Amino acid sequence: MNFPKALLQLAAVIAGTTTRVGAQRYNLVDHYDASNWLNMFSVQSIPDPTGGFVSYVTQSEAQALGLLKIQGNQVSFGVDNTNVISPSGPGRNSVRLMSNKAYNNGLIIGDFAHMKVYLARKRLWDLASLDQSANRFVFSWVVGPNWPSSGEIDIIEGVNIGVQDQMTLHTSPGCTVTVGTPGQTGTSVGDPLCGDGGGYNGCAVVDYVGTSYGTAFNSVGGGVYATLWTNSAIQIWYWARNNIPADVANGTPDPSGWGTPAADFAGCAFDTYFKNMQIIFDTTFCGAWAGAVWPQSYCGTVDSSCVDYVAKNPQAFADGYWLVNSVKVYQT
């Protein structure tokens, strides 16, 4: 879905690792992991752009509350799951991260051991200029600085008890997508005009692979998402933990050998619509998307009010955290 969204910077650049993709040579330019995560991402304590029932805390607050921490070689961040709060207050505490560094084109590979799971949320990882969410989860997304004119790519996103990942592009008017070659394993849904509705509607592909999202993703030890962004295509792949290609695991990724992607957006000059993209992770509650569909979903039978449910049921969010192994960015 969305409105504006966000994510990255890094201190360790490994210039010697490269991979061949056809005639192109990809270099590892940024490697985000537990050793440098807190230097490469900024914790954003801002009002939620989507009007969610959420309070994004500062870095010091997040660390003091245990919502952001380094666990061995992994990074963990999530939401408050202990406190009953007032439905009339600012919302449940959560962490929003945006990369300090912005990118133009590249191959972004995220390795996740766990993603957030619970009602009343939108989860997201993406590339964007600005973030907005409603009980959503992001890595899932990348966004540019002037939404929607600089674009947004939602890589991992969903709401409430959804079990499929939705990958979505949001742009200014003029970007109409088709399915590229060799096709995609996911299903295109909605409007191919990515700029319709002021960029809010977006053009989306749903991945129906059973382990690509939520509880099923966590049950197999997580997995890896890879997004390749060029002027002619934006392609997204997903692999469960036991099916990660050897070249990805070894740090020498070669997309030409990965087979059909889950999403294959083509037909648009993407460099015109996507610029200076940053990586964002966030989780918000209720708000524009999750709150809007709450009454029509199973969630509405649990509680008629999304906000009341989020406020009164902290235990429901015990599984509401990310556990990240790494995020790697390659460029030509």
Side-chain angles (χ1 to χ4, degrees):
M1 146 167 200
N2 306 160
F3 299 127
K5 306 182 179 138
L7 270 304
L8 209 73
Q9 174 188 349
L10 136 78
V13 175
I14 307 177
T17 301
T18 62
T19 184
R20 294 287 297 177
V21 181
Q24 293 183 316
R25 189 174 190 84
Y26 279 75
N27 304 289
L28 178 62
V29 295
D30 285 318
H31 181 176
Y32 300 82
D33 63 13
S35 70
N36 57 34
W37 191 272
L38 299 180
N39 294 323
M40 309 320 295
F41 281 92
S42 293
V43 178
Q44 295 189 305
S45 179
I46 61 173
D48 182 45
T50 61
F53 182 61
V54 64
S55 177
Y56 291 125
V57 298
T58 65
Q59 179 172 327
S60 59
E61 289 172 328
Q63 291 176 297
L65 294 169
L67 303 183
L68 172 63
K69 53 193 173 184
I70 304 300
Q71 296 182 177
N73 294 325
Q74 297 173 309
V75 183
S76 174
F77 47 92
V79 304
D80 168 44
N81 60 30
T82 60
N83 296 298
V84 173
I85 61 176
S86 171
S88 60
R92 186 160 296 283
N93 287 342
S94 179
V95 178
R96 176 188 168 96
L97 298 167
M98 177 186 278
S99 66
N100 297 327
K101 190 171 179 179
Y103 300 94
N104 288 287
N105 288 334
L107 173 62
I108 302 177
I109 299 178
D111 184 331
F112 308 106
H114 187 279
M115 68 169 65
K116 301 173 183 180
V117 179
Y118 46 79
L119 296 182
R121 90 316 187 169
K122 170 185 174 187
R123 300 181 297 202
L124 182 67
W125 176 49
D126 64 11
L127 297 164
S129 304
L130 174 59
D131 172 58
Q132 286 192 355
S133 56
N135 294 29
R136 81 168 178 273
F137 160 79
V138 188
F139 151 57
S140 285
W141 50 287
V142 282
V143 65
N146 301 300
W147 194 94
S149 62
S150 296
E152 177 187 324
I153 305 170
D154 299 333
I155 303 167
I156 303 174
E157 186 178 32
V159 296
N160 300 326
I161 58 170
V163 295
Q164 294 92 27
D165 178 35
Q166 179 169 307
M167 300 155 284
T168 307
L169 307 184
H170 300 270
T171 71
S172 57
C175 182
T176 302
V177 297
T178 59
V179 178
T181 302
Q184 60 188 22
T185 60
T187 301
S188 297
V189 296
D191 196 342
L193 305 177
C194 304
D196 271 10
Y200 174 83
N201 296 350
C203 44
V205 173
V206 174
D207 185 1
Y208 290 99
V209 172
T211 60
S212 67
Y213 188 82
T215 300
F217 178 91
N218 298 334
S219 70
V220 297
V224 167
Y225 272 86
T227 300
L228 179 61
W229 160 31
T230 68
N231 185 48
S232 60
I234 294 176
Q235 299 171 303
I236 301 172
W237 288 263
Y238 158 73
W239 305 282
R241 179 65 55 199
N242 63 356
N243 199 34
I244 300 169
D247 59 301
V248 173
N250 294 335
T252 57
D254 181 1
S256 68
W258 293 347
T260 305
D264 192 349
F265 299 100
C268 179
F270 293 108
D271 285 355
T272 301
Y273 295 93
F274 296 89
K275 309 179 186 75
N276 301 318
M277 306 293 279
Q278 292 171 277
I279 301 169
I280 295 174
F281 290 86
D282 72 2
T283 299
T284 180
F285 303 91
C286 308
W289 185 11
V293 301
W294 178 275
Q296 291 78 42
S297 70
Y298 164 78
C299 303
T301 68
V302 176
D303 194 308
S304 60
S305 167
C306 180
V307 168
D308 282 352
Y309 177 84
V310 172
K312 298 174 183 177
N313 296 277
Q315 72 283 352
F317 309 108
D319 209 24
Y321 66 92
W322 286 94
L323 194 59
V324 181
N325 292 322
S326 67
V327 176
K328 298 179 181 179
V329 181
Y330 298 82
Q331 292 181 328
T332 55

